[in-house]
Amino acid sequence: MKRMLLTTAALAAFAQISTAHAEDIAVLTPYLSSVATNEMVETFKTDSEAKGWTVNVVDTRGDFQQLASRVEDVTNAGADAIVLVSVDPNQIADQVAAAAGKDIPVFVLDGALADGVTANITTDNFALGTILSDYLFEALGGEGNIVKFFHSAHPGVRQRELALDAALEKNDAVKVIAEHYVQVPGPIDNARQAMETFIRQHGDKIDGVWAAWDEPAIGALLALQSDMPDADIVIAGIDGNPQAVDLIKQCTNLAATVRQDFPGIASAAVGEIETVLGGGEPSSREIFVEAKVVDRETLGANCE
């Protein structure tokens, strides 16, 4: 009986220790419908749950006011860490500051830095925009008219736009003749509708499409296939969306994407969070994961 009591006590102590290490992580995003954002969240959940953490995911479907409110909720509930995915934390600065004030570390994936943010794990989005712009300009032979699809509310996408601006300053033979702020959720359909309008307005004056991420590139392609199926317009995007990669393999007008390592971003974030929750410091406040071009050549597609 005495031995049984000791064993029971030991098990109870072990349970207390295990519970103490079962971290409660709140993951919040307004863009879970995005393929890239969803890939990061799913990888983060898998890696976190393997460590015994509890992960609660909140999707506010493009609503930043609700995002701010839900960050307040998880802060008041005493989450061990808050993870913002594809968010500019400066847009909810008061809520981020409140979380930091309660010693809750705030991490951002594919976002930006702000006061109160422990670390931002992302790709160098200006570099992504530069790679995309250089690729498209070269594909056009250094001259021509392009249309631009963007979404400035996302901090990474904004950096890509700034990279395009810089590339245009260096090459005045390439002109932006139309541009569209893509609505999210629903970026493919929204971009398709905008591209249909551009085709009616500009027709064969369009030489290329610069898409700040792959969903608008896909939407532009759908419009082109419907309204100008024989056009040689070059479309390029960013993210390495599986649908986009498949369309590149099929030798469509979608010629390239710049692939971000979204699983790598999420996995790196889990490692940084583990360090911080263990009492350490992040390796850096801004951590960059590398990207690469995916096109017909790298995919081995025979498009002749």
Side-chain angles (χ1 to χ4, degrees):
M1 176 64 83
K2 185 175 180 181
R3 180 177 296 174
M4 183 179 294
L5 289 172
L6 286 172
T7 302
T8 301
L11 287 172
F14 178 78
Q16 290 177 344
I17 293 171
S18 298
T19 301
H21 291 281
E23 310 292 1
D24 184 10
I25 313 298
V27 177
L28 303 99
T29 180
Y31 301 126
L32 194 60
S33 62
S34 163
V35 172
T37 300
N38 187 267
E39 185 176 9
M40 282 185 283
V41 170
E42 289 302 315
T43 301
F44 184 88
K45 283 174 59 181
T46 298
D47 289 4
S48 297
E49 289 168 356
K51 295 182 178 296
W53 300 352
T54 299
V55 179
N56 299 298
V57 178
V58 175
D59 175 27
T60 64
R61 299 176 181 270
D63 188 331
F64 277 81
Q65 185 173 352
Q66 186 184 7
L67 178 69
S69 178
R70 297 305 298 273
V71 171
E72 291 175 1
D73 291 344
V74 298
T75 298
N76 293 332
D80 293 302
I82 293 173
V83 179
L84 303 174
V85 187
S86 302
V87 170
D88 182 354
N90 293 288
Q91 292 179 285
I92 52 171
D94 291 345
Q95 289 73 24
V96 170
K102 291 190 175 183
D103 295 324
I104 299 174
V106 178
F107 293 84
V108 184
L109 279 61
D110 186 35
L113 282 175
D115 290 343
V117 170
T118 304
N120 174 40
I121 302 93
T122 188
T123 309
D124 184 337
N125 280 282
F126 192 91
L128 287 174
T130 300
I131 294 169
L132 168 61
S133 302
D134 289 349
Y135 184 97
L136 183 60
F137 289 12
E138 183 175 349
L140 297 178
E143 62 181 8
N145 299 319
I146 65 174
V147 297
K148 165 186 169 184
F149 290 90
F150 65 105
H151 184 83
S152 302
H154 186 294
V157 173
R158 177 59 183 154
Q159 287 298 310
R160 299 169 194 178
E161 292 174 54
L162 293 175
L164 173 60
D165 292 343
L168 289 166
E169 287 182 5
K170 295 177 182 177
N171 190 339
D172 58 11
V174 176
K175 307 289 186 183
V176 176
I177 61 171
E179 59 183 47
H180 177 68
Y181 183 98
V182 180
Q183 299 300 310
V184 179
I188 292 178
D189 284 342
N190 186 255
R192 176 183 57 78
Q193 293 167 8
M195 188 65 184
E196 289 171 352
T197 300
F198 294 156
I199 289 171
R200 288 194 297 270
Q201 292 174 337
H202 303 287
D204 57 11
K205 292 181 181 179
I206 302 171
D207 299 304
V209 174
W210 186 98
W213 74 106
D214 285 335
E215 277 94 335
I218 294 167
L221 174 64
L222 293 176
L224 196 62
Q225 289 176 329
S226 174
D227 296 352
M228 293 181 65
D230 297 325
D232 58 359
I233 294 171
V234 180
I235 303 173
I238 291 175
D239 282 347
N241 178 312
Q243 184 180 358
V245 172
D246 188 53
L247 289 166
I248 294 168
K249 286 181 183 178
Q250 294 176 31
C251 301
T252 67
N253 295 77
L254 181 48
T257 181
V258 185
R259 167 68 182 174
Q260 294 193 75
D261 184 2
F262 292 113
I265 290 172
S267 295
V270 171
E272 296 295 331
I273 292 170
E274 184 175 38
T275 297
V276 170
L277 294 181
E281 296 291 330
S283 57
S284 175
R285 285 200 69 216
E286 190 141 48
I287 299 158
F288 292 123
V289 176
E290 292 187 0
K292 62 180 180 180
V293 171
V294 177
D295 61 6
R296 297 166 182 169
E297 182 178 355
T298 62
L299 294 171
N302 184 2
C303 297
E304 296 181 358

